Amino acid sequence: MTGNQPTPQLAALYQELILDHYKRPRRQGQIEDPDVDIHMMNTSCGDEVRLQLRVVDDVVRDARFQGTGCSISQASLSMMADLLVGKTRADALALTRRFKEMMHGDTDAARDRRLGDLRALAGVAAYPVRVKCAMLGWNALEEGLRKLAEEKGV
Ligand code: ZN
């Protein structure tokens, strides 16, 4: 990893957070008649996600996912879905950019409180193959919001 290494204590806490989200995913499930419904795969690892959003008045009111795959991909999804609720589309896209910056080794992004539990994934930046795992949910989010804008013409 480039830049500041987390202390061993922080690294252990981060590892615990990742496993916790993996074992007890937040916001797993489905939304009836969702505004965003997107399926995406990360073929390099075999991770898979179906992400659904309820978007009302430009705000994400609900986010649910069904996923299979490695702990990094599923923990990232769980953390992302949890963070998205209550955010505007612009906020959601800003978070996506910030998360990508962190995945490119940006140490400011890795300390950005707006990313919440997702900061636990900062160490993944050192492993390009795993970056694809961590990015799966975010790529689905971006694509889903792009399609929504297309459909609604906004
Ligand atoms: Zn994976």
Side-chain angles (χ1 to χ4, degrees):
M1 190 164 102
T2 54
N4 296 349
Q5 293 279 353
T7 61
Q9 290 89 340
L10 189 58
L13 177 75
Y14 278 176
Q15 193 57 40
E16 213 169 287
L17 253 178
I18 292 167
L19 281 177
D20 187 55
H21 275 274
Y22 176 55
K23 287 180 184 161
R24 300 188 307 115
R26 285 33 150 201
R27 306 205 158 270
Q28 202 172 38
Q30 288 192 70
I31 295 172
E32 213 170 302
D33 194 23
D35 299 292
V36 168
D37 189 354
I38 193 111
H39 174 255
M40 206 169 264
M41 285 191 76
N42 167 26
T43 50
S44 70
C45 180
D47 308 317
E48 204 167 342
V49 65
R50 183 177 182 189
L51 177 69
Q52 297 182 317
L53 304 177
R54 163 88 54 237
V55 182
V56 182
D57 295 333
D58 210 45
V59 175
V60 178
R61 298 291 182 197
D62 198 5
R64 300 278 162 186
F65 75 94
Q66 293 175 290
T68 54
C70 69
S71 59
I72 299 291
S73 67
Q74 303 304 304
S76 183
L77 269 165
S78 170
M79 292 168 175
M80 180 191 82
D82 217 14
L83 198 62
L84 282 178
V85 176
K87 301 288 192 292
T88 63
R89 280 192 293 170
D91 285 343
L93 290 171
L95 284 170
T96 305
R97 279 194 298 275
R98 205 62 176 137
F99 186 76
K100 279 188 182 178
E101 284 166 8
M102 186 174 83
M103 285 299 103
H104 287 120
D106 184 323
T107 51
D108 285 336
R111 281 191 294 264
D112 192 331
R113 286 172 180 274
R114 285 176 300 171
L115 287 177
D117 285 357
L118 286 152
R119 289 170 295 176
L121 293 168
V124 171
Y127 309 96
V129 174
R130 309 318 302 274
V131 167
K132 289 185 183 171
C133 302
M135 282 303 305
L136 174 66
W138 297 90
N139 289 333
L141 173 67
E142 244 181 356
E143 177 68 7
L145 290 179
R146 193 189 60 75
K147 278 192 174 171
L148 180 68
E150 230 172 54
E151 284 164 17
K152 299 211 166 177
V154 287

